[in-house]
Amino acid sequence: EVQLLESGGDLVQPGGSLRLSCAASGFAFSSYAMSWVRQAPGKGLEWVSAISGSDAKTYYADSVKGRFTISRDSSKNTLYLQMNSLRAEDTAVYYCAKSYTNAWYYDWGQGTLVTVSS
Amino acid sequence: EIVLTQSPGTLSLSPGERATLSCRASQSLSNSQIAWYQQKPGQAPRLLIYGASSRATGIPDRFSGSGSGTDFTLTISRLEPEDFAVYYCQQYGSAPTFGGGTKVEIK
């Protein structure tokens, strides 16, 4: 059974930084692309970033490009999202999501809440 | 960016009724690269349908997907009490995008 457990969400001031983690189990982590998807309070879903399984190629939404960095550690079966220069509009629940083979639809973790406020 | 427009925004129905949800893409998805998710309050989304019409593991057969090109539909043949939720479509033909959601509420 696929299990994805996010952590690291917190209250942070505008301009601050935060690193999210996602511990994965129940599947061959290094073989699958992984993504972060966020959901602002009361709003819909927004894809944020992805990293491929084989060559760790990275992809970003325009809204976070240059501020967020996705990475993975296959020795620890863990996905990360380093978030810098945070803005109020980055406030959301951040979900870790596992892609299926050669297709970016998802199984989801339970999410971690990031609040950017002074 | 491929924009997905879901309609209606809210669907008010009674248990046992049929629900028909629409998702329209701004560009053709030649390989029917559409997924549908269900989300209940305080929970993560759950995958229902992928490839426009294939049910994910463990999804009841009252859920079905159809469509091609730019127009896609999720149908719930007979609503059960646990089906009242928000439903999102997602395209994965290019950088993933999601529709704005359809809320299925109890009438």
Side-chain angles (χ1 to χ4, degrees), chain A residues 82-105:
Chain A
Q82 177 67 43
M83 303 186 295
N84 298 331
S85 303
L86 283 161
R87 307 166 179 167
E89 54 264 35
D90 295 319
T91 294
V93 173
Y94 284 73
Y95 293 102
C96 168
K98 169 194 166 290
S99 300
Y100 283 68
T101 303
N102 297 323
W104 288 10
Y105 54 90

Side-chain angles (χ1 to χ4, degrees), chain A residues 37 39 43-47 95 100 103-110, chain B residues 35 37 39 42-47 50 88 90 92 95-96 98 100:
Chain A
V37 179
Q39 186 170 36
K43 302 297 184 182
L45 300 165
E46 179 189 16
W47 173 79
Y95 293 102
Y100 283 68
W104 288 10
Y105 54 90
Y106 302 115
D107 287 325
W108 303 69
Q110 283 305 301
Chain B
Y37 301 90
Q39 188 178 35
Q43 296 185 16
R46 177 175 71 142
L47 178 68
Y50 62 93
Y88 293 96
Q90 178 223 332
Y92 49 97
F98 295 85

